[in-house]
PDB file of all heavy atoms in Angstrom:
ATOM      1  N   VAL A1427      78.968  15.998  58.299  1.00  0.00           N
ATOM      2  CA  VAL A1427      77.986  15.882  59.382  1.00  0.00           C
ATOM      3  C   VAL A1427      76.673  16.507  58.926  1.00  0.00           C
ATOM      4  O   VAL A1427      76.642  17.669  58.507  1.00  0.00           O
ATOM      5  CB  VAL A1427      78.488  16.595  60.653  1.00  0.00           C
ATOM      6  CG1 VAL A1427      77.451  16.482  61.768  1.00  0.00           C
ATOM      7  CG2 VAL A1427      79.822  16.021  61.095  1.00  0.00           C
ATOM      8  N   ARG A1428      75.598  15.752  59.011  1.00  0.00           N
ATOM      9  CA  ARG A1428      74.287  16.275  58.641  1.00  0.00           C
ATOM     10  C   ARG A1428      73.688  17.046  59.813  1.00  0.00           C
ATOM     11  O   ARG A1428      73.720  16.606  60.949  1.00  0.00           O
ATOM     12  CB  ARG A1428      73.341  15.148  58.238  1.00  0.00           C
ATOM     13  CG  ARG A1428      73.767  14.378  56.980  1.00  0.00           C
ATOM     14  CD  ARG A1428      72.753  13.322  56.624  1.00  0.00           C
ATOM     15  NE  ARG A1428      71.443  13.902  56.371  1.00  0.00           N
ATOM     16  CZ  ARG A1428      70.340  13.179  56.142  1.00  0.00           C
ATOM     17  NH1 ARG A1428      70.402  11.850  56.162  1.00  0.00           N
ATOM     18  NH2 ARG A1428      69.192  13.781  55.906  1.00  0.00           N
ATOM     19  N   GLN A1429      73.159  18.239  59.524  1.00  0.00           N
ATOM     20  CA  GLN A1429      72.499  19.081  60.518  1.00  0.00           C
ATOM     21  C   GLN A1429      73.355  19.243  61.781  1.00  0.00           C
ATOM     22  O   GLN A1429      72.947  18.871  62.891  1.00  0.00           O
ATOM     23  CB  GLN A1429      71.124  18.507  60.879  1.00  0.00           C
ATOM     24  CG  GLN A1429      70.168  18.455  59.701  1.00  0.00           C
ATOM     25  CD  GLN A1429      68.803  17.912  60.077  1.00  0.00           C
ATOM     26  OE1 GLN A1429      68.631  17.211  61.066  1.00  0.00           O
ATOM     27  NE2 GLN A1429      67.811  18.240  59.271  1.00  0.00           N
ATOM     28  N   PRO A1430      74.538  19.790  61.647  1.00  0.00           N
ATOM     29  CA  PRO A1430      75.411  19.958  62.814  1.00  0.00           C
ATOM     30  C   PRO A1430      74.841  20.977  63.793  1.00  0.00           C
ATOM     31  O   PRO A1430      74.206  21.958  63.401  1.00  0.00           O
ATOM     32  CB  PRO A1430      76.718  20.460  62.191  1.00  0.00           C
ATOM     33  CG  PRO A1430      76.298  21.138  60.931  1.00  0.00           C
ATOM     34  CD  PRO A1430      75.138  20.344  60.414  1.00  0.00           C
ATOM     35  N   ARG A1431      75.086  20.752  65.063  1.00  0.00           N
ATOM     36  CA  ARG A1431      74.698  21.698  66.107  1.00  0.00           C
ATOM     37  C   ARG A1431      75.937  22.501  66.489  1.00  0.00           C
ATOM     38  O   ARG A1431      76.971  21.932  66.853  1.00  0.00           O
ATOM     39  CB  ARG A1431      74.118  20.958  67.322  1.00  0.00           C
ATOM     40  CG  ARG A1431      72.862  20.161  66.998  1.00  0.00           C
ATOM     41  CD  ARG A1431      72.250  19.556  68.240  1.00  0.00           C
ATOM     42  NE  ARG A1431      71.806  20.596  69.173  1.00  0.00           N
ATOM     43  CZ  ARG A1431      71.215  20.338  70.339  1.00  0.00           C
ATOM     44  NH1 ARG A1431      71.042  19.078  70.727  1.00  0.00           N
ATOM     45  NH2 ARG A1431      70.827  21.326  71.116  1.00  0.00           N
ATOM     46  N   LEU A1432      75.797  23.829  66.414  1.00  0.00           N
ATOM     47  CA  LEU A1432      76.939  24.699  66.614  1.00  0.00           C
ATOM     48  C   LEU A1432      76.730  25.614  67.815  1.00  0.00           C
ATOM     49  O   LEU A1432      75.591  25.915  68.201  1.00  0.00           O
ATOM     50  CB  LEU A1432      77.168  25.573  65.371  1.00  0.00           C
ATOM     51  CG  LEU A1432      77.345  24.859  64.025  1.00  0.00           C
ATOM     52  CD1 LEU A1432      77.470  25.882  62.903  1.00  0.00           C
ATOM     53  CD2 LEU A1432      78.552  23.936  64.056  1.00  0.00           C
ATOM     54  N   ARG A1433      77.839  26.048  68.385  1.00  0.00           N
ATOM     55  CA  ARG A1433      77.800  27.141  69.359  1.00  0.00           C
ATOM     56  C   ARG A1433      77.749  28.443  68.568  1.00  0.00           C
ATOM     57  O   ARG A1433      78.705  28.784  67.872  1.00  0.00           O
ATOM     58  CB  ARG A1433      79.030  27.117  70.259  1.00  0.00           C
ATOM     59  CG  ARG A1433      79.080  25.984  71.258  1.00  0.00           C
ATOM     60  CD  ARG A1433      80.326  26.105  72.130  1.00  0.00           C
ATOM     61  NE  ARG A1433      80.342  27.376  72.870  1.00  0.00           N
ATOM     62  CZ  ARG A1433      81.410  27.867  73.492  1.00  0.00           C
ATOM     63  NH1 ARG A1433      82.573  27.217  73.420  1.00  0.00           N
ATOM     64  NH2 ARG A1433      81.329  29.003  74.150  1.00  0.00           N
ATOM     65  N   GLU A1434      76.654  29.145  68.645  1.00  0.00           N
ATOM     66  CA  GLU A1434      76.425  30.304  67.778  1.00  0.00           C
ATOM     67  C   GLU A1434      76.525  31.607  68.568  1.00  0.00           C
ATOM     68  O   GLU A1434      75.969  31.726  69.671  1.00  0.00           O
ATOM     69  CB  GLU A1434      75.050  30.201  67.114  1.00  0.00           C
ATOM     70  CG  GLU A1434      74.902  28.982  66.217  1.00  0.00           C
ATOM     71  CD  GLU A1434      73.495  28.794  65.723  1.00  0.00           C
ATOM     72  OE1 GLU A1434      72.550  29.040  66.508  1.00  0.00           O
ATOM     73  OE2 GLU A1434      73.320  28.398  64.552  1.00  0.00           O
ATOM     74  N   ARG A1435      77.210  32.578  67.983  1.00  0.00           N
ATOM     75  CA  ARG A1435      77.246  33.928  68.499  1.00  0.00           C
ATOM     76  C   ARG A1435      76.710  34.843  67.398  1.00  0.00           C
ATOM     77  O   ARG A1435      77.340  34.983  66.350  1.00  0.00           O
ATOM     78  CB  ARG A1435      78.669  34.320  68.906  1.00  0.00           C
ATOM     79  CG  ARG A1435      79.140  33.576  70.156  1.00  0.00           C
ATOM     80  CD  ARG A1435      80.547  33.927  70.559  1.00  0.00           C
ATOM     81  NE  ARG A1435      80.877  33.286  71.846  1.00  0.00           N
ATOM     82  CZ  ARG A1435      82.095  33.187  72.351  1.00  0.00           C
ATOM     83  NH1 ARG A1435      83.128  33.678  71.679  1.00  0.00           N
ATOM     84  NH2 ARG A1435      82.304  32.610  73.520  1.00  0.00           N
ATOM     85  N   PHE A1436      75.560  35.445  67.632  1.00  0.00           N
ATOM     86  CA  PHE A1436      74.858  36.180  66.587  1.00  0.00           C
ATOM     87  C   PHE A1436      75.368  37.617  66.493  1.00  0.00           C
ATOM     88  O   PHE A1436      75.373  38.360  67.478  1.00  0.00           O
ATOM     89  CB  PHE A1436      73.349  36.178  66.857  1.00  0.00           C
ATOM     90  CG  PHE A1436      72.729  34.813  66.747  1.00  0.00           C
ATOM     91  CD1 PHE A1436      72.469  34.060  67.874  1.00  0.00           C
ATOM     92  CD2 PHE A1436      72.424  34.277  65.509  1.00  0.00           C
ATOM     93  CE1 PHE A1436      71.914  32.807  67.782  1.00  0.00           C
ATOM     94  CE2 PHE A1436      71.863  33.019  65.392  1.00  0.00           C
ATOM     95  CZ  PHE A1436      71.610  32.280  66.530  1.00  0.00           C
ATOM     96  N   VAL A1437      75.786  37.990  65.286  1.00  0.00           N
ATOM     97  CA  VAL A1437      76.234  39.357  64.991  1.00  0.00           C
ATOM     98  C   VAL A1437      75.554  39.752  63.679  1.00  0.00           C
ATOM     99  O   VAL A1437      76.015  39.366  62.603  1.00  0.00           O
ATOM    100  CB  VAL A1437      77.763  39.449  64.869  1.00  0.00           C
ATOM    101  CG1 VAL A1437      78.178  40.900  64.584  1.00  0.00           C
ATOM    102  CG2 VAL A1437      78.446  38.940  66.134  1.00  0.00           C
ATOM    103  N   PRO A1438      74.462  40.521  63.727  1.00  0.00           N
ATOM    104  CA  PRO A1438      73.635  40.759  62.529  1.00  0.00           C
ATOM    105  C   PRO A1438      74.168  41.841  61.604  1.00  0.00           C
ATOM    106  O   PRO A1438      73.482  42.795  61.253  1.00  0.00           O
ATOM    107  CB  PRO A1438      72.286  41.156  63.131  1.00  0.00           C
ATOM    108  CG  PRO A1438      72.642  41.830  64.411  1.00  0.00           C
ATOM    109  CD  PRO A1438      73.844  41.095  64.943  1.00  0.00           C
ATOM    110  N   SER A1439      75.413  41.701  61.175  1.00  0.00           N
ATOM    111  CA  SER A1439      76.017  42.625  60.213  1.00  0.00           C
ATOM    112  C   SER A1439      77.204  41.917  59.585  1.00  0.00           C
ATOM    113  O   SER A1439      77.993  41.284  60.301  1.00  0.00           O
ATOM    114  CB  SER A1439      76.469  43.911  60.916  1.00  0.00           C
ATOM    115  OG  SER A1439      77.397  44.628  60.131  1.00  0.00           O
ATOM    116  N   SER A1440      77.337  42.030  58.268  1.00  0.00           N
ATOM    117  CA  SER A1440      78.460  41.383  57.601  1.00  0.00           C
ATOM    118  C   SER A1440      79.779  41.977  58.065  1.00  0.00           C
ATOM    119  O   SER A1440      80.718  41.253  58.419  1.00  0.00           O
ATOM    120  CB  SER A1440      78.320  41.522  56.085  1.00  0.00           C
ATOM    121  OG  SER A1440      77.141  40.903  55.624  1.00  0.00           O
ATOM    122  N   GLU A1441      79.858  43.314  58.040  1.00  0.00           N
ATOM    123  CA  GLU A1441      81.104  43.964  58.448  1.00  0.00           C
ATOM    124  C   GLU A1441      81.407  43.730  59.921  1.00  0.00           C
ATOM    125  O   GLU A1441      82.554  43.457  60.298  1.00  0.00           O
ATOM    126  CB  GLU A1441      81.043  45.467  58.166  1.00  0.00           C
ATOM    127  CG  GLU A1441      80.893  45.816  56.698  1.00  0.00           C
ATOM    128  CD  GLU A1441      79.440  45.987  56.283  1.00  0.00           C
ATOM    129  OE1 GLU A1441      78.554  45.363  56.922  1.00  0.00           O
ATOM    130  OE2 GLU A1441      79.184  46.732  55.319  1.00  0.00           O
ATOM    131  N   ALA A1442      80.373  43.831  60.779  1.00  0.00           N
ATOM    132  CA  ALA A1442      80.586  43.612  62.206  1.00  0.00           C
ATOM    133  C   ALA A1442      80.938  42.160  62.497  1.00  0.00           C
ATOM    134  O   ALA A1442      81.717  41.873  63.413  1.00  0.00           O
ATOM    135  CB  ALA A1442      79.345  44.028  62.993  1.00  0.00           C
ATOM    136  N   GLY A1443      80.378  41.226  61.729  1.00  0.00           N
ATOM    137  CA  GLY A1443      80.739  39.820  61.908  1.00  0.00           C
ATOM    138  C   GLY A1443      82.204  39.581  61.595  1.00  0.00           C
ATOM    139  O   GLY A1443      82.889  38.829  62.303  1.00  0.00           O
ATOM    140  N   ALA A1444      82.700  40.229  60.541  1.00  0.00           N
ATOM    141  CA  ALA A1444      84.126  40.122  60.222  1.00  0.00           C
ATOM    142  C   ALA A1444      84.969  40.736  61.329  1.00  0.00           C
ATOM    143  O   ALA A1444      86.007  40.172  61.720  1.00  0.00           O
ATOM    144  CB  ALA A1444      84.410  40.812  58.885  1.00  0.00           C
ATOM    145  N   ARG A1445      84.514  41.877  61.849  1.00  0.00           N
ATOM    146  CA  ARG A1445      85.254  42.516  62.931  1.00  0.00           C
ATOM    147  C   ARG A1445      85.251  41.645  64.185  1.00  0.00           C
ATOM    148  O   ARG A1445      86.269  41.552  64.898  1.00  0.00           O
ATOM    149  CB  ARG A1445      84.629  43.886  63.235  1.00  0.00           C
ATOM    150  CG  ARG A1445      85.371  44.703  64.297  1.00  0.00           C
ATOM    151  CD  ARG A1445      86.792  44.990  63.868  1.00  0.00           C
ATOM    152  NE  ARG A1445      87.536  45.684  64.902  1.00  0.00           N
ATOM    153  CZ  ARG A1445      88.858  45.781  64.932  1.00  0.00           C
ATOM    154  NH1 ARG A1445      89.581  45.221  63.969  1.00  0.00           N
ATOM    155  NH2 ARG A1445      89.472  46.425  65.896  1.00  0.00           N
ATOM    156  N   ALA A1446      84.116  41.006  64.469  1.00  0.00           N
ATOM    157  CA  ALA A1446      84.041  40.111  65.626  1.00  0.00           C
ATOM    158  C   ALA A1446      85.028  38.955  65.474  1.00  0.00           C
ATOM    159  O   ALA A1446      85.640  38.514  66.453  1.00  0.00           O
ATOM    160  CB  ALA A1446      82.619  39.591  65.792  1.00  0.00           C
ATOM    161  N   ALA A1447      85.188  38.456  64.252  1.00  0.00           N
ATOM    162  CA  ALA A1447      86.158  37.384  64.022  1.00  0.00           C
ATOM    163  C   ALA A1447      87.573  37.879  64.285  1.00  0.00           C
ATOM    164  O   ALA A1447      88.389  37.175  64.899  1.00  0.00           O
ATOM    165  CB  ALA A1447      86.031  36.859  62.596  1.00  0.00           C
ATOM    166  N   VAL A1448      87.885  39.096  63.837  1.00  0.00           N
ATOM    167  CA  VAL A1448      89.207  39.676  64.097  1.00  0.00           C
ATOM    168  C   VAL A1448      89.447  39.803  65.601  1.00  0.00           C
ATOM    169  O   VAL A1448      90.563  39.588  66.087  1.00  0.00           O
ATOM    170  CB  VAL A1448      89.330  41.052  63.413  1.00  0.00           C
ATOM    171  CG1 VAL A1448      90.590  41.778  63.874  1.00  0.00           C
ATOM    172  CG2 VAL A1448      89.335  40.891  61.893  1.00  0.00           C
ATOM    173  N   MET A1449      88.395  40.105  66.365  1.00  0.00           N
ATOM    174  CA  MET A1449      88.513  40.282  67.808  1.00  0.00           C
ATOM    175  C   MET A1449      88.545  38.955  68.567  1.00  0.00           C
ATOM    176  O   MET A1449      88.671  38.943  69.793  1.00  0.00           O
ATOM    177  CB  MET A1449      87.355  41.141  68.309  1.00  0.00           C
ATOM    178  CG  MET A1449      87.361  42.558  67.748  1.00  0.00           C
ATOM    179  SD  MET A1449      85.842  43.480  68.121  1.00  0.00           S
ATOM    180  CE  MET A1449      85.981  43.628  69.917  1.00  0.00           C
ATOM    181  N   GLY A1450      88.406  37.837  67.839  1.00  0.00           N
ATOM    182  CA  GLY A1450      88.511  36.540  68.486  1.00  0.00           C
ATOM    183  C   GLY A1450      87.229  35.989  69.056  1.00  0.00           C
ATOM    184  O   GLY A1450      87.254  35.159  69.962  1.00  0.00           O
ATOM    185  N   TRP A1451      86.096  36.407  68.510  1.00  0.00           N
ATOM    186  CA  TRP A1451      84.813  35.921  69.016  1.00  0.00           C
ATOM    187  C   TRP A1451      84.505  34.503  68.547  1.00  0.00           C
ATOM    188  O   TRP A1451      83.674  33.833  69.140  1.00  0.00           O
ATOM    189  CB  TRP A1451      83.691  36.847  68.571  1.00  0.00           C
ATOM    190  CG  TRP A1451      83.638  38.137  69.331  1.00  0.00           C
ATOM    191  CD1 TRP A1451      84.677  38.790  69.931  1.00  0.00           C
ATOM    192  CD2 TRP A1451      82.480  38.941  69.560  1.00  0.00           C
ATOM    193  NE1 TRP A1451      84.239  39.939  70.508  1.00  0.00           N
ATOM    194  CE2 TRP A1451      82.901  40.070  70.309  1.00  0.00           C
ATOM    195  CE3 TRP A1451      81.145  38.834  69.208  1.00  0.00           C
ATOM    196  CZ2 TRP A1451      82.013  41.069  70.710  1.00  0.00           C
ATOM    197  CZ3 TRP A1451      80.259  39.829  69.594  1.00  0.00           C
ATOM    198  CH2 TRP A1451      80.688  40.924  70.342  1.00  0.00           C
ATOM    199  N   GLY A1452      85.109  34.074  67.473  1.00  0.00           N
ATOM    200  CA  GLY A1452      84.827  32.739  66.962  1.00  0.00           C
ATOM    201  C   GLY A1452      85.217  32.622  65.502  1.00  0.00           C
ATOM    202  O   GLY A1452      85.862  33.510  64.930  1.00  0.00           O
ATOM    203  N   ILE A1453      84.814  31.506  64.917  1.00  0.00           N
ATOM    204  CA  ILE A1453      85.043  31.261  63.490  1.00  0.00           C
ATOM    205  C   ILE A1453      83.893  31.883  62.708  1.00  0.00           C
ATOM    206  O   ILE A1453      82.723  31.763  63.086  1.00  0.00           O
ATOM    207  CB  ILE A1453      85.141  29.753  63.213  1.00  0.00           C
ATOM    208  CG1 ILE A1453      86.382  29.167  63.903  1.00  0.00           C
ATOM    209  CG2 ILE A1453      85.189  29.473  61.713  1.00  0.00           C
ATOM    210  CD1 ILE A1453      86.480  27.662  63.801  1.00  0.00           C
TER     211      ILE A1453
END
């Protein structure tokens, strides 16, 4: 898919983004 539109949840930290994924915030 070219230029896909996504449902985005912004987490401005690499470690916190991984933690958010563990908590079930998204992919």
Side-chain angles (χ1 to χ4, degrees):
V1427 179
R1428 296 182 60 186
Q1429 298 181 338
R1431 299 185 63 179
L1432 304 176
R1433 289 182 60 194
E1434 298 172 322
R1435 290 179 174 167
F1436 294 99
V1437 181
S1439 162
S1440 299
E1441 298 93 333
R1445 184 60 184 163
V1448 170
M1449 296 170 66
W1451 285 28
I1453 295 174

